[in-house]
Amino acid sequence: MKTQTVSNGIVTLTKEGEEAIKNSPLYNEGLRPTRTAEHTWTSYNFASLWIGMSICLPTYAMAAGLISLGMNWWQAILTIILGNCIVLIPILLNSHAGTKFGIPYPVFARLWFGSKGAHIPAVARGLIGAGWFGINCWFGGAAIDTLLMSMTGWANVPGHLWISFFGFWLLNVWVAYRGPEAIKKMEAWAAPILIIMSLALLVWALTKAGGWGPMLSAPSKFTTTAEFLKVFFPALTGAIAFWATMALNIPDFCRYAKSQKAQVIGQSSSLPTTMGFFSFIGVAVASATVVIYGEALWDPAAVLAKFSPFAIFLGTIGIILATLTTNVAANIVAPARAVENLAPRRLSYKAGALIAGVVSLLLQPWYILENFGNYIFLWLGTYGALLGPIDGIAIADYWLVRKRRIHLTELYKTNGIYTYKTGFNGRAIWAMLIGIAIPFISKYIPGLSIIWDNAWTVGLLISLVIYTWMMKNDGSILSANDYEKITANNKQTIAS
């Protein structure tokens, strides 16, 4: 029986396929494969998604963090751009699966970890997403607090910072609660506004400072290549890890893509360029403030606080918009889907969004951002070491093991081929643990710390190779003939 059909590279369920799984405990409206009419995202939608997510206070702060660690401006910017070019590779590889089969990340994870084991990578990604959600709320709340103090007597209100934080947190949770389609619409109109506001800030800085300012000509603090590399590799891992989360759950968005071309062009043209562009604005504006105010101001809210009340009002709207577009897209969808996947028949995306918001508070973002060492090395570096191996397994399974052939209805069966007898694929778990353990152990062995400094990349490659080897000839792999038996081909189908 043909349970799925392919047209123009997009695979959807047939009526028979949907009937076969609609009563499964692993199925609900949020986790089912998308239908043809739902593939509406164009290249612009993906470009605006990444522009909206990349223009945010953590991006602005990351360049500052690298310069505070000793890099000069161009070393910091190139490190960030290189890191984003590297992470773009797994993003595009995992995007293909989401686009072709229309499945969200937790369902995609069932393919390689099993129907029950999928909770491991889904919850891991979800916890990190919740952590980022809290970080962005703290950034945004603190910025709003700074701007309110500059306009009113807000500084005299007891606990004003915490009030700003929790108020902004509530706004983020409310917007996230409205769902992915609302996110798509918000990103579409917010992206051009954020670009204009960013350029306006850069033009102001250049005009007021009469040039780029002294910091752009300040030399690196490193006197030898060895000193530079000691900071460069963990910084590069941090830059990669910044979006390593999205490299995993990008199917949550690409499942709505009109075509593979739409998602590839939209993402490739916007991610590295926007991250490099906004990081540069952060460095350039901070450089200009040395000339204008006699000190380097790395906090954009602190810069805006020196403007006129009307400019502060516009800047506050910009900061709220920049944080919202990042937070609700990059940091709430994954944990919400992870919660939903725990009990598809009882929990919805909206319930998951609320739970993720509460978890973000428990992770204490104020501690993570206590200093740049925590931010770059503890937070970004540590979760990069965790997510790298999972990324490697995802890529290996879809591209090397299964060769882009998936039996969609089996993903929603409690006793299907992707259940792996116990619901867990032990080979995926072992590949993940080995990929995490080797970099972690190397951290404490003299002369091998460079492996830990590149934990995301090393872990990805180790787990990719081990998983591919261990899954050779597994019974869940579809042959080309098996795939043809279940897949109806539309005459308009192109290479997928």
Side-chain angles (χ1 to χ4, degrees), residues 344-378:
R345 288 297 181 181
R346 295 192 298 273
L347 295 172
S348 65
Y349 167 86
K350 291 185 175 181
L354 295 176
I355 293 171
V358 173
V359 172
S360 72
L361 298 178
L362 299 177
L363 293 174
Q364 303 180 69
W366 45 89
Y367 170 73
I368 295 172
L369 296 173
E370 193 172 44
N371 60 59
F372 284 121
N374 283 344
Y375 181 56
I376 297 293
F377 296 112
L378 177 62

Side-chain angles (χ1 to χ4, degrees), residues 473-494:
N473 300 321
D474 184 78
S476 66
I477 300 171
L478 298 179
S479 67
N481 187 51
D482 292 334
Y483 187 71
E484 288 179 6
K485 288 179 180 179
I486 61 168
T487 310
N489 285 277
N490 186 294
K491 291 182 179 180
Q492 297 179 353
T493 298
I494 59 175

Side-chain angles (χ1 to χ4, degrees), residues 26-213:
L26 298 179
Y27 176 98
N28 70 14
E29 278 298 300
L31 297 176
R32 64 165 172 77
T34 48
R35 301 177 180 121
T36 302
E38 295 172 309
H39 284 267
T40 60
W41 285 44
T42 64
S43 292
Y44 177 78
N45 292 127
F46 285 104
S48 63
L49 174 73
W50 279 109
I51 291 170
M53 290 193 299
S54 298
I55 297 180
C56 61
L57 300 183
T59 302
Y60 196 101
M62 184 162 60
L66 297 184
I67 289 177
S68 73
L69 293 173
M71 292 187 180
N72 61 28
W73 74 270
W74 63 263
Q75 289 171 338
I77 301 303
L78 286 181
T79 299
I80 291 169
I81 292 175
L82 178 60
N84 281 274
C85 287
I86 292 172
V87 80
L88 180 63
I89 297 171
I91 285 174
L92 294 179
L93 291 175
N94 289 331
S95 292
H96 191 283
T99 301
K100 182 175 180 179
F101 292 99
I103 50 177
Y105 170 62
V107 176
F108 184 38
R110 293 174 190 172
L111 194 67
W112 10 291
F113 268 81
S115 56
K116 296 178 181 178
H119 297 313
I120 298 172
V123 170
R125 167 61 182 101
L127 284 173
I128 293 165
W132 267 120
F133 186 78
I135 285 174
N136 275 278
C137 285
W138 185 259
F139 264 120
I144 293 169
D145 182 67
T146 298
L147 296 172
L148 286 174
M149 285 193 295
S150 69
M151 290 192 294
T152 66
W154 183 247
N156 298 320
V157 177
H160 55 85
L161 173 60
W162 291 98
I163 295 172
S164 297
F165 166 63
F166 280 109
F168 191 58
W169 174 85
L170 283 171
L171 175 63
N172 277 261
V173 171
W174 177 76
V175 173
Y177 182 81
R178 298 179 60 197
E181 190 60 26
I183 293 172
K184 169 192 170 185
K185 293 177 181 177
M186 180 180 67
E187 299 284 2
W189 59 261
I193 294 175
L194 290 173
I195 291 175
I196 292 171
M197 296 185 77
S198 300
L199 287 172
L201 184 61
L202 179 62
V203 170
W204 166 84
L206 289 175
T207 303
K208 293 286 287 184
W212 294 111

Side-chain angles (χ1 to χ4, degrees), residues 206-234:
L206 289 175
T207 303
K208 293 286 287 184
W212 294 111
M215 287 185 68
L216 292 189
S217 59
S220 168
K221 295 178 182 178
F222 306 116
T223 57
T224 66
T225 301
E227 287 181 0
F228 171 73
L229 293 179
K230 188 175 181 179
V231 171
F232 169 74
F233 285 118

Side-chain angles (χ1 to χ4, degrees), residues 207-479:
T207 303
K208 293 286 287 184
W212 294 111
M215 287 185 68
L216 292 189
S217 59
S220 168
K221 295 178 182 178
F222 306 116
T223 57
T224 66
T225 301
E227 287 181 0
F228 171 73
L229 293 179
K230 188 175 181 179
V231 171
F232 169 74
F233 285 118
L236 181 65
T237 293
I240 293 170
F242 196 88
W243 290 122
T245 51
M246 287 295 291
L248 278 174
N249 80 292
I250 193 64
D252 286 332
F253 298 94
C254 286
R255 62 192 296 223
Y256 303 108
K258 293 190 73 171
S259 65
Q260 297 291 356
K261 182 179 179 181
Q263 61 91 0
V264 170
I265 292 176
Q267 297 190 97
S268 301
S269 63
S270 56
L271 171 56
T273 53
T274 307
M275 287 294 292
F277 163 72
F278 197 59
S279 296
F280 176 75
I281 286 179
V283 173
V285 171
S287 171
T289 59
V290 175
V291 177
I292 302 169
Y293 303 116
E295 61 176 327
L297 299 177
W298 285 106
D299 182 356
V303 177
L304 290 169
K306 296 181 177 294
F307 286 23
S308 67
F310 180 69
I312 292 174
F313 173 73
L314 292 178
T316 303
I317 293 175
I319 285 175
I320 291 173
L321 190 60
T323 308
L324 274 175
T325 53
T326 301
N327 230 10
V328 297
N331 303 323
I332 205 66
V333 174
R337 292 291 185 214
V339 170
E340 182 182 18
N341 190 54
L342 291 172
R345 288 297 181 181
R346 295 192 298 273
L347 295 172
S348 65
Y349 167 86
K350 291 185 175 181
L354 295 176
I355 293 171
V358 173
V359 172
S360 72
L361 298 178
L362 299 177
L363 293 174
Q364 303 180 69
W366 45 89
Y367 170 73
I368 295 172
L369 296 173
E370 193 172 44
N371 60 59
F372 284 121
N374 283 344
Y375 181 56
I376 297 293
F377 296 112
L378 177 62
W379 174 245
L380 293 177
T382 301
Y383 86 63
L386 171 64
L387 295 190
I390 299 176
D391 265 320
I393 292 168
I395 294 167
D397 186 275
Y398 181 70
W399 288 93
L400 303 178
V401 174
R402 304 189 192 282
K403 297 179 172 57
R404 307 186 304 282
R405 293 191 288 263
I406 299 176
H407 195 320
L408 279 177
T409 58
E410 293 292 316
L411 286 169
Y412 297 86
K413 294 181 179 179
T414 55
N415 60 348
I417 60 174
Y418 306 126
T419 303
Y420 301 100
K421 295 182 180 179
T422 63
F424 295 87
N425 182 4
R427 284 157 289 192
I429 295 173
W430 276 112
M432 179 188 70
L433 292 175
I434 295 170
I436 293 172
I438 291 177
F440 183 79
I441 294 171
S442 299
K443 180 180 181 180
Y444 301 98
I445 299 177
L448 295 181
S449 61
I450 191 172
I451 295 177
W452 171 254
D453 292 341
N454 293 277
W456 181 88
T457 305
V458 173
L460 183 150
L461 293 174
I462 289 173
S463 293
L464 183 148
V465 171
I466 291 175
Y467 182 82
T468 302
W469 173 71
M470 294 180 75
M471 284 293 289
K472 188 177 181 181
N473 300 321
D474 184 78
S476 66
I477 300 171
L478 298 179
S479 67

